[in-house]
Amino acid sequence: MSETKTSEPSAFSLRLIRWLCKDELVEELEGNLHEYHSRLKSSSFRRLKYWYQVFNYLRPSTLKLFKIKTTAMFHFNPILTFRNLYRHKSTSVISICGFTLGLVSTIFLYFYISSELSYDSFHKDGDQIYRAIRLSGINDDAYRIGVTSGPYARALENDFPSAITSSTRAYPQDGLISFGNKKFKENKLLFADANFFEFFSFPLVYGEPESVLAEANSAVISRATAKKYFGESDPIGQLLEVDNEFQFIITGIMEDPINKSHLEFDIVLTISFFDRFSWFSDWWNNGLMTYVKIPTPEMAANVGSGLADFMDKYFADDFEESGNRVDLMLEPLNDIYFNNDTRYDWARHGNINAVYILGLVAIAILFIACFNYVNLSIAQSFMRTREVGVRKVLGVRKWRLTLQFLGESFMILSIAMLFSIGICQLINPIFNRFFELQINLNWLDPGVWIFFVIVFAIILLTSGIYPAILLSSFRPIAALKGSKVSSGRSGIRKGLVISQFAISIFLIITTLLIAEQNNYMNTKDLGFRKDAVILVDLDNSEIRRSGDVFKERLLNNTNVIKASNVSGEPGGFHDASSFKISGLEENVRMRTLFADTDYLELFEIELMAGRDFSLDLDSDTANVMIFNEQAVKELGLTPEELIGRKASMPGWGIENSSIVGIVSDFHFSTLKDEVEPLAIICGRNQRRLAVKMNPEYLKEGLLFIEQTYKEISPEFPMSYEFLDESLAQLYENEEKQARVFSAFSGISIFLACLGIFGLAAYTAQQRQKELGIRKVLGATPQQIIGLISKDFIFLVIVAAIIAVPVVWFFMEKWLDDYAYRITLSDHWYFFFLGGVSAVVIALLTISFKAYRTAISDPTDSIRNE
């Protein structure tokens, strides 16, 4: 009896089938369960296996509660999508690689651009903060000056009490900081007013913003600086010594600079320390930055309209004496970082043009990746016509097919997005090192994910909609019969290829021209010799007091050819002042340079007329002068007429100084600017010692300079740089732009080749029977390749014709920033080379696909009709 019971399926399982499953399926399911149960007699875990089978029959297609429409199976199905991606492995891999490469480029550029645009955006009242900027000029050439003097801040508050609610001052410096046996040369010192942390929103870890700098010898240090000097000990109340003379008490600790600011500092010292010095109250001793806070833009405009009277109130007599006027303006805080044309500025600056250019490059690369996917999807569409036909015959609607194909685009893009994030994290150090950037990939920033969602949606709509609509629009009967079906307008496909290569050719030619401009600036004759020149900072009282001794001891070494004390080296600091020239009614404004008698000989600057400074003449100790060629031109005199005249510098205490010589123009500033009038004054106002070395013994000579410096100033480390490296830094942004364009032009041309490969595949698929018949009739592989290639080469040529005038216009605008620049008409061959390069690369890409078609067996393409 029990044997009979165990041979039958569970009664409860059969009742469950009758209750839940559709009536027309019950008999069949029960029969299947009886048969399955009988096969499990000798099987282990037969009860578990049996119930697994029971629940396997309880599926949506068998249950009474579910009514399945014939089109439900055509909803987006991830498994089906992966199956299609795997079936078409080559195009799937190309699409994923294209999107990944485009997204990697875009993600890096996004982080760079967002980082640049975030400068000074964290301050609580940032929209109310303005910097006082002086306006001056060299004759008719106006420019802005970023520094002011000590009295400006209080005077502005007093003269505009109803508008200016507060002011503060910042004075960046460097110095030797000591604590016990630890001594470091700190390049990011900042002297600031007591309300500095209240005025700005730099975060404090310890201390209150309104009181942390209240005392005259207060100091606030960053977390990193605290660890460097004190380790894990509490730094509050400890004494820091500055330049072995002055002591400051640590009263606060600030957060390490996580927010980007045009002001960079690790240590803040109270600026009231300078009240003891007379220069700090001198209106003409400009060296610090003045900020004011004004509640509304309207009030700021009212203050701006009154600044001319403000300057007249304090400077009218000086303006009259010098014959030159200086004005004042207010610069909004958010404009400071990108206003890099300001001279004599302590602020850190960026390049807004570089941000715009890189933003456009990111958009261009994204669109190339999208165009590439569209072309590949169209090329693949002919292999899926029967699939579409079967689905439509089974009743699927067009919008459901569109959803399925759009889902495939979504899946490809999702995979590419995940790959791109991983690759970005992996190569970020390499990217930063190559482009000399400091990009922090902050994935936790909500703005990053908002950006990802927006970019994802744009790419999906741009690249996925047209292929999805195209695939879903095939007529089922024609698709199933294998008849030729519409693949969309050929003009769209060709337009995509033209757009891709136009962008690529644009980037190729632009890269070549930027590199050529950089090469022009690096190789142009500057009018002086820059090789093997070391610039030593005279940055402490000990070395300044012994400047002549330091120079003489260096000259006794055979590795030192020449040395000269200077106030500014070529490419470095050159002040400006008004000059009164005898015989001329109006004053003229010129750049100034204080140097000793060895300056011209050290830099090998050509003397046009007159003589050089001389130690043998007592008169040369009384501030005699040498002018440059541009000064002679602007004065409207000849060198002979100017030499021997007297020149005075109102406000400098220099009267009736003789003009003894004229030098040829040399580029003492960047090549972006025209050579300005310059006066070289033989006198003592030196900031640096320029040392001309024997280039064959640079290392030995540098060791001797360091040793001599240490003997004269043992408590201070020597700070120096090579002149050629200093000059190269003037064009650092241009070098970065060249690297960026070269890298992304390579990416763009690679993506464009993927696109044209897709179109070549499409054409080969479209014309496979024709090509097969031609081969049977005797066509050679070369003829087949030429047949497929000619139309594409035409498209690339059209792209070049479109790109060339756009590049010409763009580069003319870009080169307008340079006073000394290449001429585009002299470099026409770069335009030709860019177009030819694109044609050759495209031809190689097409030939690869065309060759495979040309050598294939023609019977494979014509056996089925």
Side-chain angles (χ1 to χ4, degrees), residues 419-546:
F419 281 162
S420 63
I421 292 174
I423 292 171
C424 285
Q425 192 67 38
L426 185 65
I427 68 172
N428 185 45
I430 301 172
F431 185 91
N432 283 337
R433 187 162 54 251
F434 180 75
F435 293 111
E436 297 181 8
L437 300 173
Q438 292 180 342
I439 295 178
N440 179 29
L441 302 179
N442 182 14
W443 303 110
L444 300 179
D445 183 3
V448 173
W449 294 103
I450 293 173
F451 169 77
F452 281 172
V453 170
I454 293 174
V455 169
F456 195 96
I458 292 174
I459 296 176
L460 184 62
L461 294 175
T462 304
S463 61
I465 287 293
Y466 179 72
I469 294 175
L470 173 64
L471 285 167
S472 62
S473 65
F474 290 158
R475 290 179 298 171
I477 302 302
L480 289 172
K481 290 174 61 179
S483 303
K484 184 176 179 180
V485 295
S486 172
S487 60
R489 297 181 179 179
S490 61
I492 294 178
R493 299 190 303 274
K494 294 178 180 179
L496 296 180
V497 173
I498 291 172
S499 300
Q500 286 176 308
F501 274 91
I503 294 172
S504 300
I505 293 169
F506 174 91
L507 290 174
I508 291 172
I509 301 174
T510 300
T511 299
L512 294 173
L513 290 173
I514 290 177
E516 182 65 15
Q517 173 64 20
N518 290 342
N519 181 64
Y520 171 80
M521 292 189 295
N522 290 329
T523 57
K524 187 180 187 304
D525 182 11
L526 300 176
F528 64 89
R529 293 295 297 273
K530 62 180 179 179
D531 303 321
V533 176
I534 297 174
L535 304 167
V536 181
D537 291 333
L538 307 178
D539 54 1
N540 64 78
S541 56
E542 288 181 358
I543 197 68
R544 282 193 292 267
R545 282 194 301 265
S546 306

Side-chain angles (χ1 to χ4, degrees), residues 712-746:
I712 296 174
S713 181
E715 298 296 327
F716 293 86
M718 186 179 85
S719 177
Y720 70 94
E721 64 180 336
F722 287 91
L723 177 61
D724 53 357
E725 294 178 355
S726 174
L727 293 172
Q729 290 177 2
L730 296 175
Y731 312 109
E732 184 178 1
N733 284 333
E734 286 72 21
E735 293 292 343
K736 287 181 181 179
Q737 286 184 29
R739 286 196 293 273
V740 168
F741 270 100
S742 61
F744 289 112
S745 63

Side-chain angles (χ1 to χ4, degrees), residues 597 611-622 624 660 682:
T597 55
R611 64 174 179 84
D612 194 357
F613 302 137
S614 175
L615 284 174
D616 299 329
L617 298 174
D618 294 338
S619 60
D620 283 11
T621 62
V624 295
V660 298
C682 186

